[in-house]
Amino acid sequence: MTMGAILETKSLNKFFRDPVEFQALKNINISVERGEFVSIIGSSGSGKSTLLYILSTLDTDYAGSLFLESDDLSKKTKNELASIRNEMIGFVFQFHYLLPEFTVLENVMLPALKLGKKHEEEIESDAMQKLELLDMKSQALKKANKLSGGQQQRAAIARALINDPKIVFGDEPTGNLDSKNSQNVLEIFKELKKNLLQTILVVTHDMNFANNTDRIIRLHDGEVVQH
């Protein structure tokens, strides 16, 4: 891996074979530095979501190599990858996927409870700290379905941070939000990068968002044309 890179691909290729063979990603060689805030852009069908799912270990059917902290993930079993996801990766999606019948606090605690490395009291304390960081502490005991769209996405970001991940992946995290809340999410990510040195990689079609990140990786027909 290159110096300072936390995430790197080497000669990454992805084929879909049903109904006909189609190469979705062609020889992708990219790296993301520790503490960098990067966006992946490209028109619909360019392969950006496909790439994100491979980078975040959700899709393991590819050729080539994927490294996270110098560890070659292409050689890992499904169970090993599940552990790596729980421990080292945070996710923020277009839809927040909060459990509506749970409180905000319970939703944020869930990934840490699943990881099982800390006592529940400690996890609750961590979750409250993350909510405070996102100006959501006052909403902690509300049911998730009682929040506004912008608040739900903040809660989802707090949940993504609960296990102190090495990298946070976003899949169109502002895709469901109005411009004011989109700007809020952008500012939150910038603060996380600045204050926590958090590495963030986001797929977006929002050019205003992309232009405010440290660097843009642009895909066209499955190839990197800018990075």
Side-chain angles (χ1 to χ4, degrees), residues 33-152:
E33 300 291 301
R34 200 174 304 276
E36 199 176 16
F37 180 15
V38 180
S39 52
I40 300 176
I41 64 166
S43 56
S44 183
S46 62
K48 56 188 189 299
S49 288
T50 303
L51 178 59
L52 186 80
Y53 286 126
I54 291 173
L55 296 177
S56 59
T57 78
L58 293 171
D59 181 357
T60 56
D61 179 21
Y62 59 87
S65 299
L66 168 64
F67 298 90
L68 180 61
E69 292 224 303
S70 304
D71 201 4
D72 188 350
L73 302 189
S74 57
K75 308 269 196 290
K76 303 284 184 192
T77 66
K78 286 266 201 291
N79 283 346
E80 286 171 330
L81 288 174
S83 297
I84 286 165
R85 265 198 305 282
N86 286 341
E87 206 160 335
M88 300 176 71
I89 292 173
F91 291 98
V92 183
F93 297 100
Q94 177 171 353
F95 302 101
H96 50 76
Y97 296 116
L98 299 172
L99 298 173
E101 70 279 13
F102 281 45
T103 65
V104 172
L105 180 61
E106 287 166 337
N107 270 285
V108 173
M109 289 172 68
L110 273 175
L113 291 169
K114 187 177 169 190
L115 188 60
K117 292 216 163 173
K118 293 178 178 177
H119 293 300
E120 192 168 335
E121 297 76 29
E122 197 180 347
I123 291 170
E124 185 173 326
S125 168
D126 284 354
M128 288 303 279
Q129 278 183 325
K130 298 293 191 276
L131 286 168
E132 188 168 14
L133 192 69
L134 291 154
D135 205 17
M136 284 288 291
K137 198 173 176 182
S138 62
Q139 309 297 317
L141 300 180
K142 269 192 188 171
K143 289 276 196 287
N145 59 3
K146 297 284 190 266
L147 301 181
S148 69
Q151 288 174 327
Q152 286 175 330

Side-chain angles (χ1 to χ4, degrees), residues 149-161:
Q151 288 174 327
Q152 286 175 330
Q153 198 59 306
R154 281 175 187 239
I157 295 169
R159 181 185 56 190
L161 296 171

Side-chain angles (χ1 to χ4, degrees), residues 8-57:
E8 192 165 29
T9 67
K10 289 194 175 152
S11 306
L12 196 72
N13 290 281
K14 167 74 178 177
F15 290 88
F16 290 110
R17 295 190 168 83
D18 191 29
V20 293
E21 185 163 283
F22 165 68
Q23 187 168 2
L25 295 173
K26 301 163 189 167
N27 202 33
I28 305 287
N29 295 287
I30 58 169
S31 69
V32 176
E33 300 291 301
R34 200 174 304 276
E36 199 176 16
F37 180 15
V38 180
S39 52
I40 300 176
I41 64 166
S43 56
S44 183
S46 62
K48 56 188 189 299
S49 288
T50 303
L51 178 59
L52 186 80
Y53 286 126
I54 291 173
L55 296 177
S56 59
T57 78

Side-chain angles (χ1 to χ4, degrees), residues 133-196:
L133 192 69
L134 291 154
D135 205 17
M136 284 288 291
K137 198 173 176 182
S138 62
Q139 309 297 317
L141 300 180
K142 269 192 188 171
K143 289 276 196 287
N145 59 3
K146 297 284 190 266
L147 301 181
S148 69
Q151 288 174 327
Q152 286 175 330
Q153 198 59 306
R154 281 175 187 239
I157 295 169
R159 181 185 56 190
L161 296 171
I162 189 64
N163 289 333
D164 298 317
K166 301 290 183 190
I167 185 165
V168 170
F169 290 100
D171 186 10
E172 301 280 9
T174 60
N176 229 19
L177 302 174
D178 60 25
S179 58
K180 180 171 176 285
N181 280 307
S182 295
Q183 189 62 32
N184 285 343
V185 169
L186 173 64
E187 294 306 325
I188 287 165
F189 281 146
K190 286 166 94 169
E191 288 291 311
L192 294 174
K193 174 211 149 67
K194 185 173 143 204
N195 298 333
L196 301 183

